[in-house]
C-alpha cells in the first residue's frame, strides 16, 4: 500500500503530467475555419467553340476540375514551326527582367514560409555579458543611511524561448505563408506565360510589318514603272501633263506609306528587344514576311480552364491564405503560452565564471507571465477577425471575377479565329477581284478607253485590299497566340518544367 509520503511525492508528478497532457491536447486544437474552394458556375462547353471540339474524347462534355497549375505547359510556341521564334523565346526566358523580378518575388515568398515554419521550433541563443550594480539599502534590509558596495556580475548563458501552439495560431500562420508562396509560384508562371505570349505576338507583328513592307516595295516598283510609261506617252503627246502629275503623286504616296511601315517596324523591333532583355542597339531581326497560319487550336473543356490558368491558381491560393489568416485572428481570443528559460554561469569574479559552483538556471519569463489570457481590449481582437473575414470575402470575389474574365478571353479569341476564317476567304476574293479590275483598267487605259484616274483608283483598291489581307493574317497569328495564352498555354502531354531559381530555364 502506498504510503502518505510517497503520495505527497508523486502528487506534483501527476499534476505536471495532467498539465502536460492538457497542453498537448490544446496544441492540437485549431480555431481556423475549414477551407473549401468556393463554387463557380462553369459552362459545359465554350459558346464559340466548334461543335466537334466541345465534347471530350469519350463524348462527355463535363469532368471534375483537378488542380493542374503546376503541370508544365511545354514549349507551345514550337507549333508555329518557326526556328527564329523558338530562339527568341528561349532567349527571353533567360534574360527578361520582369521574369527575373517574378522569380525574386517567389524566392521572397518561400523565405517567408520558412520563417513562419520556424515558429514550430524553440528559439535558442547564447550570450556573454557583465552588469555593474549597486543595490539599495532597502533591498538589503539595511538602514536608509547605510552604505552599500557596488559589484560586478558576469554571465554566460544559453536562452531558450518557445511558444506552445495553442489553438493553432502558429499552424495557421504557416498555412497562410505556404498559400502565399504557392500564389507567388502561380504568379511566376503567369508572368512566364505572359512573356512567352508577348514575345510571340511582338514577333508576329514584326513579321506582319515585314509583309506590309514587301507589299509596299512592290507597289513602289509598280508605280515607278507606271510613271515611266505615263511620262513616255506624255513625251509622245498622247496624254496631258495631268496624268503625269497623278502618277508622280501616287508614287510619292506609296513611298511615304512605305516609310511609315518602316517606322512602325523599327518601333516593334525595339519593343521585342526589351522583352528579350536587350537594348534596341543590341538587337536586330532580319526581314521575313508573315505567312498565313492554318493552325487550329483545340479549346478543350471549360472545366480544364480552371486547372491550367496560372492567374486562377494564384487567385485561389490567395483565398486559402486569407482563410488561414482568419484562424490567426481568431486565435487571439484564446490563451497563449510562452515558455522561456536560461542555463549558464554567473559569477562576481570573471575568473570564476565557468566554475561548476557558478552554474545557474532560470525557468519562466523575466517579465510578465508564461500563460496569458485576454480579458478586455476594447474590441481590437474582434476588429481583427472582422478584417480577416472581409479580406477573405474580397479574395472570393476576386477569384470568381478572375474565372469569369478567363472564360471571356477564351470566348473572345475563339470568336476572333472563327470569324477570321470567313473574313480571310472574303478578303481573298476581294484581292483577286481588285487585281483583275486593275489589270483590265491598265489595258483599257493603254487602249485609250478610260482615263488615268480609273487606273489610279484601281491600283489604290488593290493596295488597300492586299494591305487588309496582310493585316488579317497578323490578326490571325496574334489571336492564335492569345487563345493559347487564354487557355493557360499549350496542351497535350506535359513537358518537363524547371523550378524558377537563379537561372531561368527555357523548358517551361
Amino acid at each position: 500500500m502506498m504510503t502518505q509520503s510517497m503520495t505527497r511525492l508523486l502528487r506534483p508528478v501527476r499534476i505536471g503530467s495532467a498539465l502536460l497532457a492538457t497542453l498537448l491536447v490544446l496544441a492540437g486544437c485549431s480555431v481556423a475555419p475549414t477551407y473549401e474552394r468556393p463554387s463557380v458556375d462553369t459552362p459545359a462547353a465554350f459558346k464559340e467553340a466548334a461543335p466537334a471540339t466541345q465534347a471530350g474524347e469519350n463524348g462527355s462534355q463535363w469532368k471534375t476540375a483537378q488542380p493542374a497549375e503546376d503541370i508544365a505547359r511545354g514549349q507551345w510556341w514550337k507549333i508555329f514551326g518557326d526556328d527564329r521564334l523558338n530562339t527568341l523565346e528561349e532567349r527571353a526566358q533567360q534574360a527578361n527582367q520582369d521574369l527575373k523580378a517574378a522569380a525574386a518575388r517567389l524566392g521572397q515568398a518561400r523565405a517567408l514560409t520558412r520563417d513562419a515554419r520556424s515558429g514550430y521550433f524553440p528559439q535558442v541563443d547564447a550570450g556573454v555579458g557583465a552588469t555593474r550594480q549597486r543595490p539599495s539599502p532597502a533591498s538589503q534590509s539595511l538602514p536608509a543611511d547605510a552604505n552599500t558596495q557596488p559589484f560586478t556580475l558576469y554571465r554566460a548563458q544559453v536562452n531558450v524561448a518557445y511558444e506552445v501552439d495553442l489553438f493553432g495560431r502558429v499552424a495557421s500562420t504557416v498555412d497562410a505563408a505556404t498559400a502565399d508562396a504557392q500564389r507567388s509560384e502561380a504568379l511566376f508562371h503567369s508572368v512566364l506565360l505572359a512573356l512567352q505570349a508577348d514575345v510571340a505576338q511582338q514577333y508576329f507583328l514584326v513579321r506582319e510589318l515585314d509583309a506590309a513592307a514587301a507589299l509596299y516595295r512592290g507597289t513602289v516598283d509598280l508605280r515607278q514603272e507606271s510613271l515611266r510609261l505615263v511620262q513616255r506617252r506624255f513625251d509622245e503627246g498622247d496624254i496631258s501633263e495631268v496624268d503625269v502629275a497623278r502618277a508622280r503623286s501616287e508614287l510619292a504616296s506609296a513611298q511615304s506609306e512605305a516609310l511609315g511601315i518602316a517606322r512602325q517596324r523599327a518601333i516593334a523591333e525595339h519593343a521585342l528587344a526589351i522583352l528579350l532583355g536587350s537594348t534596341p542597339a543590341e538587337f536586330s531581326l532580319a526581314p521575313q514576311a508573315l505567312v498565313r497560319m492554318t493552325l487550329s487550336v483545340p479549346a478543350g473543356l471549360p472545366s480544364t480552364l480552371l486547372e491550367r490558368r496560372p492567374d486562377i491558381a494564384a487567385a485561389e491560393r490567395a483565398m486559402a491564405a486569407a482563410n488561414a489568416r482568419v484562424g490567426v485572428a481568431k486565435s487571439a481570443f484564446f490563451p497563449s503560452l510562452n515558455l522561456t528559460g536560461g542555463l549558464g554561469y554567473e559569477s562576481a569574479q570573471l575568473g570564476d565564471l565557468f566554475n561548476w559552483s557558478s552554474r545557474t538556471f532560470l525557468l519562466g519569463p523575466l517579465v510578465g507571465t508564461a500563460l496569458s489570457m485576454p480579458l478586455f481590449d476594447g474590441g481590437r481582437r474582434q476588429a481583427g477577425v472582422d478584417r480577416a473575414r472581409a479580406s477573405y470575402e474580397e479574395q472570393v470575389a476576386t477569384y470568381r471575377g478572375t474565372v469569369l474574365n478567363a472564360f471571356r478571353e477564351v470566348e473572345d479569341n475563339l470568336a476572333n479565329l472563327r470569324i477570321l476564317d470567313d473574313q480571310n476567304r472574303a478578303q481573298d476574293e476581294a484581292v483577286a477581284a481588285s487585281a483583275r479590275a486593275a489589270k483590265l483598267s491598265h489595258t483599257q487605259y493603254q487602249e485609250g478607253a478610260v482615263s488615268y484616274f480609273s487606273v489610279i483608283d484601281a491600283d489604290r483598291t488593290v493596295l488597300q485590299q492586299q494591305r487588309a489581307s496582310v493585316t488579317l493574317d497578323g490578326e490571325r497569328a496574334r489571336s492564335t497566340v492569345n487563345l493559347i495564352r487564354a487557355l493557360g498555354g499549350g496542351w497535350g502531354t506535359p513537358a518537363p518544367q524547371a523550378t524558377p531559381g537563379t537561372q531561368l530555364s527555357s523548358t517551361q
Side-chain angles (χ1 to χ4, degrees):
M1 186 173 181
M2 185 176 298
T3 64
Q4 186 175 3
S5 60
M6 292 180 63
T7 302
R8 287 197 299 268
L9 289 174
L10 291 176
R11 184 177 301 167
V13 176
R14 292 172 178 172
I15 294 175
S17 300
L19 178 60
L20 178 60
T22 302
L23 292 176
L24 291 175
V25 171
L26 291 176
C29 297
S30 176
V31 295
T34 302
Y35 174 68
E36 295 181 1
R37 183 182 304 183
S39 60
V40 292
D41 293 332
T42 305
F46 290 111
K47 173 184 176 181
E48 299 291 345
T53 64
Q54 289 182 352
E57 293 179 357
N58 58 358
S60 175
Q61 293 188 339
W62 177 261
K63 76 182 188 70
T64 302
Q66 299 293 330
E69 194 285 319
D70 56 344
I71 292 180
R73 302 301 185 267
Q75 298 174 325
W76 55 264
W77 56 88
K78 289 190 174 181
I79 62 175
F80 297 112
D82 192 320
D83 292 337
R84 183 59 172 161
L85 175 59
N86 298 342
T87 301
L88 295 178
E89 290 284 0
E90 294 184 6
R91 180 174 172 180
Q93 291 179 70
Q94 296 295 332
N96 181 265
Q97 298 304 312
D98 290 337
L99 189 59
K100 289 183 177 181
R105 289 192 293 271
L106 175 56
Q108 296 172 44
R110 288 174 173 172
L112 289 175
T113 302
R114 294 194 299 271
D115 178 77
R117 288 185 181 277
S118 68
Y120 284 132
F121 306 96
Q123 308 299 306
V124 182
D125 59 74
V128 177
T131 58
R132 183 71 173 170
Q133 180 179 350
R134 182 170 185 168
S136 67
S139 68
Q140 305 296 316
S141 301
L142 297 175
D145 58 349
N147 185 24
T148 58
Q149 298 298 320
F151 65 92
T152 301
L153 188 63
Y154 298 93
R155 289 188 178 90
Q157 62 186 27
V158 175
N159 300 313
V160 180
Y162 178 66
E163 178 184 357
V164 180
D165 190 19
L166 300 180
F167 306 101
R169 190 196 71 82
V170 176
S172 295
T173 302
V174 172
D175 290 343
T178 301
D180 282 337
Q182 293 169 342
R183 174 178 178 269
S184 293
E185 185 169 1
L187 289 175
F188 171 84
H189 292 307
S190 183
V191 172
L192 175 61
L193 178 59
L195 172 63
Q196 294 168 347
D198 288 346
V199 169
Q201 286 184 319
Q202 202 65 28
Y203 175 79
F204 288 132
L205 175 59
V206 172
R207 293 310 185 206
E208 175 192 336
L209 294 171
D210 286 340
L215 176 62
Y216 276 100
R217 281 195 301 271
T219 301
V220 169
D221 292 341
L222 180 62
R223 298 280 167 82
Q224 288 175 338
E225 179 63 24
S226 296
L227 178 59
R228 284 193 293 269
L229 294 174
V230 171
Q231 183 68 47
R232 186 178 65 187
R233 293 191 63 185
F234 171 72
D235 293 340
E236 294 174 352
D238 295 338
I239 59 175
S240 67
E241 189 178 356
V242 174
D243 289 347
V244 177
R246 287 175 175 171
R248 290 185 185 277
S249 174
E250 291 302 309
L251 173 59
S253 177
Q255 290 172 333
S256 176
E257 291 176 351
L259 291 173
I261 294 296
R263 176 177 55 82
Q264 296 177 40
R265 204 262 187 196
I267 294 174
E269 186 181 73
H270 298 166
L272 183 56
I274 300 303
L275 291 174
L276 302 180
S278 303
T279 62
E282 297 173 322
F283 175 75
S284 62
L285 192 62
Q288 178 182 324
L290 178 66
V291 178
R292 178 176 299 178
M293 292 183 182
T294 58
L295 179 68
S296 178
V297 178
L301 299 176
S303 60
T304 63
L305 191 64
L306 306 184
E307 303 170 5
R308 300 192 61 85
R309 290 268 300 218
D311 57 338
I312 293 178
E316 187 276 329
R317 288 291 83 197
M319 281 193 304
N323 182 80
R325 290 191 175 94
V326 173
V328 175
K330 291 175 67 175
S331 68
F333 282 97
F334 299 90
S336 63
L337 178 61
N338 292 280
L339 304 179
T340 59
L343 177 65
Y345 300 88
E346 65 177 12
S347 172
Q349 301 295 326
L350 183 60
D352 298 334
L353 180 60
F354 293 103
N355 291 339
W356 183 249
S357 59
S358 300
R359 67 190 185 278
T360 182
F361 72 90
L362 172 68
L363 295 178
L366 295 175
V367 180
T369 59
L371 182 64
S372 61
M373 175 69 184
L375 296 178
F376 177 76
D377 60 4
R380 181 176 61 85
R381 290 178 175 83
Q382 184 59 50
V385 173
D386 293 343
R387 175 181 174 275
R389 284 174 174 166
S391 177
Y392 172 75
E393 293 299 327
E394 176 189 3
Q395 296 303 329
V396 170
T398 299
Y399 169 74
R400 287 174 172 159
T402 302
V403 171
L404 291 175
N405 185 65
F407 286 134
R408 179 191 63 80
E409 291 179 354
V410 173
E411 297 284 12
D412 285 351
N413 288 286
L414 285 173
N416 282 345
L417 291 173
R418 176 177 58 81
I419 297 174
L420 278 170
D421 283 337
D422 297 333
Q423 196 172 0
N424 275 131
R425 285 191 290 270
Q427 190 60 41
D428 289 344
E429 293 178 2
V431 170
S434 63
R436 175 62 178 168
K439 182 177 179 181
L440 293 174
S441 183
H442 277 274
T443 301
Q444 290 174 344
Y445 175 73
Q446 292 173 1
E447 295 174 352
V450 297
S451 67
Y452 191 67
F453 182 80
S454 298
V455 174
I456 291 175
D457 186 63
D459 286 344
R460 283 178 182 171
T461 302
V462 172
L463 179 59
Q464 291 171 356
Q465 299 302 331
Q466 290 176 334
R467 184 71 180 93
S469 181
V470 169
T471 301
L472 288 178
D473 289 343
E475 286 291 335
R476 171 180 284 277
R478 288 188 291 275
S479 291
T480 301
V481 173
N482 276 335
L483 177 57
I484 296 174
R485 177 178 179 176
L487 292 171
W491 58 87
T493 303
Q497 185 168 14
T499 301
T502 304
Q503 186 173 6
L504 303 176
S505 172
S506 62
T507 60
Q508 300 185 49

